[in-house]
Amino acid sequence: MTRPLLSVIVPVYNTAPWLRQCLDSICTQSYKNLEILCVNDGSTDNSAEILKEYADNDPRIKVFTQENAGLSAARNTGLKHATGDWVTGVDSD
């Protein structure tokens, strides 16, 4: 039996100090059938570089970049791209 796909939406805006810990926490969960949708909401710190590094090393991570539009807009972008049977969100800080 196939386990349901879980879409995890992670809005990101200037959260570089916490982003690695956030992504490590999601990636090391015992439930592995995940798509991790990171929405870079116009970050001006090095969040984009961290997201690229993680996406290059884990095919479950997909990165979407948009101009800063706020938390709700970033979540909505994630929802637009979600393909999972279930959807949840994780704040990146």
Side-chain angles (χ1 to χ4, degrees), residues 12-13 39-44 64-71 73-74 77:
V12 177
Y13 179 72
V39 182
N40 181 10
D41 189 38
S43 294
T44 58
F64 305 94
T65 301
Q66 63 186 33
E67 289 186 27
N68 182 257
L71 181 60
T77 297

Side-chain angles (χ1 to χ4, degrees), residues 78-92:
L79 281 172
K80 182 172 67 172
H81 293 284
T83 64
D85 302 296
W86 296 91
V87 178
T88 191
V90 173
D91 289 341
S92 55

Side-chain angles (χ1 to χ4, degrees), residues 23-32 34 60:
L23 294 174
D24 287 343
S25 174
I26 297 167
C27 292
T28 59
Q29 292 294 309
S30 60
Y31 193 87
K32 299 295 184 190
L34 306 172
R60 300 174 300 171

